[in-house]
Amino acid sequence: MKKSLITRWTRLTIAGVLTCAAVGVYAKSADHPDTPESEMRYKGAPVPKELQASKDVMTPGAPPLTEAEFAKAKQIYFERCAGCHGVLRKGATGKPLTPDVTLPKGTDYLKVFIDYGSPAGMPNWGTSGDFTPEEVELMAKYLQHEPPVPPEFGMEEMKATWKLLVPPEKRPTKKQNNYNVENIFSVTLRDSGQIALIDGDTKEIINIVDTGYAVHISRFSTSGRYLFVIGRDARINMIDLWMKQPDNVAELKIGLEARSVETSKYKGYEDKYAIGGSYWPPQYVIMDGATLEPLKIVSTRGYTVDTQEYHPEPRVAAIVASHEHPEFIVNVKETGKILMVNYEDIDNLKVTTIGAARFLHDGGWDSTHRYFLTAANKSNKVAVIDSKEDTLTALVDVTEIPHPGRGANLKDPKYGPVWVTSALGNENITAIATDPKRHKDHAWKVVRTLKGQGGGSLFVKTHPKSSNLWVDTPLNPDAKVSQSVAVFDVKNFDKGFEVLPIAEWAGIKGEGPKRVVQPEYNKAGDEVWFSVWSGKDEESAIVIVDDKTRKLKKVIKDKRLVTPTGKFNVYNTMNDIY
């Protein structure tokens, strides 16, 4: 996009006025020298088409738009912007973009904001080429109208989507296949709306199962028999791994956009319930663990933990199942509250609310499965929850935008048991001590900060039987970094890290970003699996590395492996081993 120096200077001057007044101090350059590229690349995920069925309002005083223009802008917003700014534009990890903010600034101001982005994480949609000049102007006009309100999704709507494909009484009474079920991997095929079930022993694809769009996570029942996956379109699929060819036995949509699903684990309640949390509407749903029949819907709308302001769209992020009580632990992103949902009596639900920090995201257990550590990403904190006492143990300051996945547990040679997270915003890998008994002086403090390859990390991984810590960097702008992985020796961190060229080992032909993402161990803990993630129409692969030798062991290629991302081993996931 060519611009004259005069035009560029004018727009940059406008940008400074706009953003200081409306949405904070932003960049004076399209290059954003103060912003990590990884943060700018961390864009909201596409939102499902059902959100298009919203109530549209043409706002008096806003620039006129035709119905076709409004529909196009709404689609762009839901697909590109809602993940950060929220469906209702009230602000989430991104700033509020409601008409009281946008209308007084006008179209020219907003065009600069959209064109050049901000050092707070707003991508430079125009100068990057993601938006055409016409789309930049269209979005600047659209943002001055009242946000469209998508429909709610209650029990009637849910039950209309519920499909009991194979009732429990018609399912196998014993395993009908010869697979080592505990070593099966569920692999997200992001852009095809499917998962691949891969035999961890033979490395062969067992089945490709149709699911919701862009499955976010896979979770397994306590028995290990059932696999639950949830797509970003809020569709939950329940897959029976005992069938001759494992496949869907039930499905349900719990809303219009979602990220999380989990099953009950406490003794006496194994496999009894499932729970799903949605982004829109902001709510969680408790389901029958054998059929996915929706039983209870609970809204998460409420007040923020810090300013005590009402938030109409506090989305449900991570959900984990407690080992200490019959409870689900539910992260409510925008309000910064963690809910301890007791499922002993779902008709008279008891919920303990713990105030933590805003923008709660993902997290995992410490090695004892008592303490839940979870990132409050834009607050740059990790909250520590004592699941036995149902209390907040600590809020630990960490560096920019922690993104742990479920984190990694290891024994530090100096500080004992620690839980590790990487970050989107910088190269830091942060270790938090987790032993309040034998290492009391260090517990719940950052005891070690390692330097990795760079920012843009999404996942760290280790295993109790391993002496390696693996760190991916798929969102780093440097291809050499995003296509490789760093590995540390946990017995000698002073050695630094070794870089393994995972994408090169994959031997993928043709173009494609070849991003290396989410290391995952097999059951034995002697193999690490990586996704080499390219575009929908490009070749991708799974690369398997010998954990002890750090040498290539196997490459899995198949035309059905479309955009593989997350991988979840049955045994490790059901036992919270990471």
Side-chain angles (χ1 to χ4, degrees):
M1 188 185 303
K2 295 182 178 179
K3 302 178 185 292
S4 70
L5 291 177
I6 295 176
T7 301
R8 180 177 173 82
W9 175 253
T10 302
R11 289 193 172 190
L12 294 176
T13 303
I14 292 173
V17 176
L18 160 69
T19 54
C20 287
V23 284
V25 179
Y26 288 96
K28 295 181 180 180
S29 165
D31 297 326
H32 305 310
D34 298 325
T35 308
E37 280 288 332
S38 57
E39 184 175 350
M40 294 174 61
R41 290 158 61 91
Y42 190 52
K43 305 169 185 176
V47 173
K49 294 179 180 178
E50 289 94 332
L51 285 178
Q52 296 295 317
S54 58
K55 181 181 179 182
D56 300 343
V57 178
M58 296 290 187
T59 305
L65 292 173
T66 66
E67 288 188 11
E69 289 173 331
F70 198 96
K72 180 179 179 180
K74 180 169 65 174
Q75 180 178 353
I76 291 173
Y77 180 84
F78 285 156
E79 289 184 350
R80 299 295 187 95
C81 315
C84 287
H85 297 281
V87 169
L88 301 180
R89 306 211 307 257
K90 295 287 187 179
T93 48
K95 300 289 185 177
L97 294 174
T98 44
D100 59 312
V101 173
T102 57
L103 257 175
K105 302 307 168 186
T107 303
D108 287 339
Y109 287 89
L110 293 169
K111 283 168 63 177
V112 175
F113 175 53
I114 297 166
D115 230 353
Y116 289 94
S118 81
M122 168 79 172
N124 52 330
W125 294 108
T127 57
S128 68
D130 286 321
F131 287 3
T132 66
E134 293 76 19
E135 287 173 333
V136 169
E137 182 166 4
L138 173 64
M139 295 308 295
K141 293 177 178 178
Y142 170 78
L143 292 178
Q144 296 172 70
H145 290 267
E146 287 291 333
V149 179
E152 298 294 323
F153 207 84
M155 188 61 75
E156 181 180 356
E157 289 80 10
M158 283 186 203
K159 287 200 169 180
T161 72
W162 178 41
K163 297 178 182 178
L164 187 55
L165 304 171
V166 184
E169 63 272 15
K170 293 186 178 181
R171 296 174 195 167
T173 56
K174 60 181 180 179
K175 192 161 70 80
Q176 292 184 336
N177 58 59
N178 294 320
Y179 301 119
N180 178 6
V181 168
E182 289 188 337
N183 201 34
I184 288 175
F185 286 76
S186 171
V187 180
T188 296
L189 305 181
R190 188 184 187 279
D191 294 327
S192 65
Q194 298 172 316
I195 62 156
L197 295 176
I198 301 180
D199 187 332
D201 293 347
T202 66
K203 315 301 188 289
E204 298 293 328
I205 294 175
I206 296 169
N207 196 16
I208 302 292
V209 182
D210 291 333
T211 62
Y213 170 74
V215 162
H216 192 64
I217 58 171
S218 296
R219 293 292 181 260
F220 299 92
S221 63
T222 310
S223 65
R225 172 175 180 172
Y226 293 110
L227 163 62
F228 296 79
V229 300
I230 189 165
R232 298 191 182 209
D233 56 0
R235 175 177 161 185
I236 298 174
N237 288 80
M238 181 179 180
I239 297 160
D240 187 352
L241 299 178
W242 279 15
M243 296 170 66
K244 186 174 182 180
Q245 184 178 58
D247 210 336
N248 286 311
V249 293
E251 66 177 60
L252 174 74
K253 274 181 64 68
I254 63 167
L256 305 182
E257 185 188 5
R259 296 293 188 276
S260 52
V261 68
E262 181 62 289
T263 64
S264 54
K265 291 185 176 181
Y266 190 69
K267 186 177 181 180
Y269 293 87
E270 298 94 337
D271 294 11
K272 184 172 183 178
Y273 293 118
I275 184 173
S278 60
Y279 271 22
W280 188 269
Q283 60 193 26
Y284 59 88
V285 181
I286 298 175
M287 298 156 281
D288 183 282
T291 67
L292 290 185
E293 179 184 4
L295 304 174
K296 186 84 170 182
I297 304 172
V298 182
S299 173
T300 55
R301 291 181 171 102
Y303 292 84
T304 60
V305 70
D306 46 9
T307 59
Q308 302 289 294
E309 295 175 85
Y310 179 76
H311 201 293
E313 193 190 345
R315 299 172 290 181
V316 176
I319 302 177
V320 297
S322 174
H323 300 267
E324 298 284 351
H325 302 288
E327 291 179 339
F328 293 117
I329 303 177
V330 178
N331 276 355
V332 186
K333 195 178 186 80
E334 279 72 28
T335 58
K337 295 178 180 178
I338 298 173
L339 310 180
M340 315 297 283
V341 180
N342 188 296
Y343 50 75
E344 286 180 287
D345 180 0
I346 65 169
D347 292 325
N348 300 284
L349 203 63
K350 295 179 181 179
V351 180
T352 299
T353 301
I354 299 174
R358 295 187 69 186
F359 311 115
L360 294 163
H361 189 54
D362 209 354
W365 295 104
D366 79 311
S367 58
T368 69
H369 294 163
R370 172 174 173 172
Y371 296 95
F372 175 57
L373 294 93
T374 184
N377 55 19
K378 291 294 282 188
S379 295
N380 297 325
K381 295 180 184 297
V382 169
V384 183
I385 299 298
D386 183 344
S387 69
K388 184 175 183 178
E389 301 296 332
D390 282 4
T391 56
L392 177 70
T393 296
L395 279 175
V396 184
D397 291 322
V398 294
T399 54
E400 193 172 10
I401 314 184
H403 195 286
R406 306 206 82 180
N409 286 302
L410 56 89
K411 287 188 178 180
D412 187 278
K414 182 176 181 181
Y415 301 106
V418 298
W419 179 88
V420 178
T421 179
S422 56
L424 277 165
N426 54 55
E427 74 276 20
N428 290 344
I429 299 127
T430 303
I432 299 170
T434 61
D435 184 359
K437 292 183 178 180
R438 293 179 296 275
H439 298 79
K440 184 177 180 180
D441 292 342
H442 300 297
W444 318 126
K445 296 177 183 177
V446 174
V447 293
R448 195 182 292 275
T449 302
L450 305 172
K451 299 295 182 182
Q453 289 198 84
S457 175
L458 292 180
F459 299 100
V460 291
K461 186 68 69 172
T462 189
H463 190 278
K465 296 180 180 178
S466 172
S467 60
N468 289 323
L469 173 67
W470 303 86
V471 184
D472 71 10
T473 41
L475 296 184
N476 194 284
D478 186 334
K480 289 184 178 179
V481 176
S482 66
Q483 295 179 9
S484 60
V485 67
V487 54
F488 292 84
D489 181 350
V490 302
K491 296 179 180 178
N492 188 356
F493 285 117
D494 292 337
K495 286 183 0 183
F497 58 84
E498 180 182 1
V499 176
L500 301 186
I502 302 297
E504 179 183 321
W505 287 353
I508 292 175
K509 299 177 182 179
E511 298 298 322
K514 306 179 183 70
R515 292 169 291 228
V516 175
V517 64
Q518 197 180 32
E520 175 72 345
Y521 277 87
N522 64 342
K523 178 186 175 181
D526 58 9
E527 293 177 354
V528 191
W529 294 37
F530 298 90
S531 295
V532 182
W533 170 25
S534 283
K536 184 176 182 179
D537 299 319
E538 297 161 336
E539 188 178 35
S540 292
I542 304 292
V543 171
I544 301 171
V545 175
D546 185 294
D547 181 70
K548 185 176 182 179
T549 65
R550 300 181 180 178
K551 302 296 184 183
L552 176 65
K553 188 170 183 178
K554 175 77 174 180
V555 176
I556 304 174
K557 290 184 182 178
D558 191 291
K559 63 181 180 181
R560 297 171 292 173
L561 291 179
V562 177
T563 58
T565 52
K567 299 165 299 306
F568 302 86
N569 174 268
V570 172
Y571 183 82
N572 293 330
T573 304
M574 63 185 278
N575 290 288
D576 291 315
I577 296 172
Y578 33 83

